[in-house]
Amino acid sequence: MSDREARAATRAWVAAAAPRLGVSEATVRRWIRAGRLNPSCRDVYGSVFPYLDRELSTEEQAAVERHIAACPGCEEHFGFDGAVLRFTRQRVPRPLIQAELQERLLKSFRGRAAPEG
Amino acid sequence: MPTCTSVMPAAGDVFASEIAPHLHGLYRMALRLTQEEQSAQDLLQDTLERAFLNFRRYEPGTNIRAWLLRIMSNVRISGFRRSSRRPQTSSLDDTEEFSLYGAIRGEGIAPLDVESAVLNRIGEETILTAIDRLPEDFRTVVVLSDVEGFSYKEMAAILEVPIGTVTSRLYRGRQQLQRALWEHARDAGILADARRSKSA
């Protein structure tokens, strides 16, 4: 990648990161200069849900953990998404089938012979 | 007329005892897919009928809940083919990025306060309403994962799609769910309260 392409990629990254982080583009640039944020954050964030779901390979999981440990912005962002996910999973209602319907369905199969074919 | 003296249980009895523990989960999935009680009951019944017809193909000891849900998914799809009705699935508009984290920060609310200031004030039924508003392909993976607890590999087998498809639908589905919860918090005045309590 030429310097020019790299600068264009960083500009695009800053423009995409600002609304995601809820700050202005100037703040994103300041955070990059201060080492609080770097363009690899975007790649790492792409794995946020597989990471939280523990669906990454051991090596990938470790790589995300290393990044988070060194990146306060990502640590907060991943922690936030984890909290929202836990909230959804714990609080979503799980209605049960009505006993009458359950019994009717089971009864419709009991005693039936194996289907032909 | 000879009577059956075999001690072997009828196929229907075996089937009924195998499916009984999974009826709650199957019913929930049918309810989220159809969003209507009678249609959910019909989908559940059609699924079980087809499962019974194919029960000899089920390998005992394998995940019967996933097997039944795969049949439900196929029954639903073939129902659409017959009726030429289609569920609302995701479109390009649905791939627009949304970050609740960014939105919360943008409101001046500390992300660490999100549970106490925002989430704990969102009613449980609101989560279901938000899930029901998702396009069906996103809704399906969100329910399979976050309500029923399936792994990516199991979801890929149930829906007969690659794991990458499951991963991207889940990413978009959860982002849209965050957006729906955000919009609810905004419209219900929860955000305004959070801002007020912060400045108080």
Side-chain angles (χ1 to χ4, degrees):
Chain A
M1 194 189 283
S2 70
D3 282 358
R4 199 171 150 197
E5 283 167 341
R7 277 197 301 276
T10 303
R11 264 200 309 279
W13 185 80
V14 168
R20 182 166 66 78
L21 300 169
V23 295
S24 68
E25 292 186 18
T27 304
V28 173
R29 277 189 223 99
R30 201 172 65 242
W31 284 356
I32 292 173
R33 281 197 300 276
R36 192 179 156 186
L37 200 63
N38 67 69
S40 70
C41 296
R42 187 185 194 183
D43 298 333
V44 175
Y45 187 72
S47 301
V48 63
F49 292 127
Y51 170 77
L52 293 171
D53 293 326
R54 305 205 70 82
E55 290 275 357
L56 296 176
S57 68
T58 314
E59 295 78 28
E60 290 166 334
Q61 197 85 6
V64 173
E65 269 156 22
R66 272 197 305 277
H67 177 94
I68 291 174
C71 183
C74 282
E75 185 186 21
E76 187 180 80
H77 199 168
F78 275 60
F80 176 91
D81 281 326
V84 178
L85 194 55
R86 271 196 306 282
F87 162 80
T88 313
R89 288 181 160 168
Q90 286 167 5
R91 301 282 287 277
V92 66
R94 291 177 174 83
L96 300 178
I97 190 168
Q98 305 91 313
E100 182 271 329
L101 172 61
Q102 183 175 21
E103 194 42 46
R104 181 156 51 84
L105 288 169
L106 292 174
K107 208 172 150 189
S108 71
F109 293 104
R110 285 193 192 116
R112 268 166 71 174
E116 296 289 317
Chain B
M1 184 163 157
T3 53
C4 179
T5 54
S6 166
V7 290
M8 284 285 283
D13 290 357
V14 177
F15 181 74
S17 62
E18 286 278 353
I19 62 168
H22 308 294
L23 286 180
H24 292 301
L26 289 170
Y27 168 74
R28 278 195 293 271
M29 191 70 218
L31 206 51
R32 293 279 73 75
L33 285 172
T34 61
Q35 311 192 342
E36 199 267 314
E37 179 64 38
Q38 189 55 51
S39 308
Q41 291 189 16
D42 293 346
L43 176 59
L44 180 54
Q45 185 151 11
D46 292 349
T47 299
L48 295 177
E49 283 295 341
R50 192 182 292 189
F52 183 61
L53 282 176
N54 291 287
F55 191 45
R56 65 183 182 287
R57 290 193 204 149
Y58 166 70
E59 291 171 39
T62 60
N63 188 340
I64 192 165
R65 196 161 66 110
W67 182 74
L68 291 166
L69 283 164
R70 186 165 75 234
I71 293 173
M72 180 177 283
S73 169
N74 288 331
V75 167
R76 179 134 173 100
I77 291 166
S78 53
F80 286 130
R81 286 207 187 104
R82 270 200 308 275
S83 69
S84 77
R85 264 184 324 118
R86 287 284 178 277
Q88 187 216 352
T89 52
S90 54
S91 66
L92 273 181
D93 289 350
D94 296 317
T95 58
E96 192 190 326
E97 289 271 340
F98 175 80
S99 161
L100 182 59
Y101 176 78
I104 288 277
R105 284 191 68 108
E107 286 286 330
I109 301 166
L112 290 176
D113 292 342
V114 70
E115 275 181 282
S116 56
V118 180
L119 297 180
N120 287 340
R121 297 196 51 209
I122 293 177
E124 296 181 351
E125 287 302 321
T126 303
I127 307 173
L128 275 191
T129 311
I131 289 175
D132 284 351
R133 278 171 50 191
L134 298 174
E136 185 161 324
D137 43 358
F138 293 173
R139 192 187 330 133
T140 305
V141 288
V142 167
V143 172
L144 287 174
S145 166
D146 298 341
V147 183
E148 304 301 333
F150 283 100
S151 70
Y152 290 16
K153 196 174 160 194
E154 288 170 324
M155 289 191 275
I158 290 169
L159 302 170
E160 297 176 288
V161 297
I163 286 189
T165 305
V166 168
T167 310
S168 67
R169 285 183 190 172
L170 198 54
Y171 183 86
R172 300 297 177 197
R174 284 177 177 163
Q175 273 202 340
Q176 284 198 30
L177 192 61
Q178 287 192 353
R179 184 203 296 266
L181 295 176
W182 165 257
E183 287 170 357
H184 168 81
R186 184 194 60 203
D187 298 346
I190 295 170
L191 291 182
D193 288 351
R195 279 195 304 268
R196 260 198 300 279
S197 67
K198 181 177 157 282
S199 60

